[in-house]
Amino acid sequence: PHKKQVLVKYSGGKPTNHFQGRIRFHGSDFSLEILNTSRQDGQLYEYSVSTGLEEEVQQIQLKVYEPVSHPSVRILGRELANGSCSVALNCTAERGDDVSYSWASQDSRTSGPCSGNSSFLHLSYPPWDTSTACVCTAANPVSSRAVAFRPSECSHE
């Protein structure tokens, strides 16, 4: 047999909070609020209601995510060839759980050369065109942060 910690017991119309200051029980809708959430709170919780000879049990898996930090864009390589400038970019966020990345044009009316669904983007544009702006978005289930990248004029250097 395994042991379970009882967080709140509700009996006779009164709640008994066994973790005062750590959790808050709302009797109006029977919700439970975890105060100062930490990674250790991400676990399986069980909610049970006993009425006479029957017990209804519901399990809830809580996931705790660290919000995404502001991403940065790094140029991995740049090449001028065949009248086109090619730039390899990598977008990364230092912090955050289950982060996904996407690229889009800063001008939302056009997709342009900026579309992608990974942290890497291979961007090709005319060497004199510095108006193309790409936006990298780093996101997870609890947050989203974006950074714009505007290429500089491409040369043989």
Side-chain angles (χ1 to χ4, degrees):
H2 63 283
K3 294 183 179 185
K4 298 176 190 174
Q5 282 187 318
V6 176
L7 303 178
V8 176
K9 186 163 185 99
Y10 189 86
S11 180
K14 290 186 175 183
T16 303
N17 185 343
H18 297 287
F19 287 85
Q20 201 68 35
R22 180 75 183 100
I23 61 169
R24 188 177 299 140
F25 176 74
H26 301 280
S28 60
D29 61 0
F30 283 79
S31 63
L32 190 66
E33 179 182 359
I34 300 173
L35 307 172
N36 300 319
T37 308
S38 71
R39 287 189 186 279
Q40 289 75 28
D41 294 321
Q43 59 182 322
L44 185 66
Y45 290 86
E46 192 171 273
Y47 172 80
S48 64
V49 177
S50 298
T51 53
L53 298 174
E54 290 185 347
E55 181 180 42
E56 181 184 332
V57 178
Q58 199 173 26
Q59 291 187 330
I60 301 161
Q61 178 67 50
L62 177 67
K63 292 185 179 183
V64 178
Y65 294 94
E66 179 181 21
V68 174
S69 64
H70 194 77
S72 61
V73 176
R74 203 174 76 196
I75 298 173
L76 300 176
R78 183 184 306 224
E79 182 183 3
L80 179 61
N82 301 328
S84 181
C85 187
S86 295
V87 180
L89 304 172
N90 186 22
C91 178
T92 54
E94 281 189 30
R95 290 183 317 281
D97 297 316
D98 293 339
V99 181
S100 64
Y101 297 92
S102 63
W103 288 89
S105 174
Q106 193 168 34
D107 181 1
S108 59
R109 294 169 294 178
T110 63
S111 63
C114 300
S115 61
N117 284 321
S118 77
S119 63
F120 296 97
L121 177 70
H122 186 80
L123 177 64
S124 291
Y125 59 96
W128 61 86
D129 180 14
T130 56
S131 64
T132 301
C134 298
V135 176
C136 170
T137 302
N140 69 6
V142 296
S143 64
S144 176
R145 306 284 300 264
V147 64
F149 173 81
R150 188 176 301 277
S152 57
E153 197 167 316
C154 210
S155 67
H156 287 288
E157 299 166 13

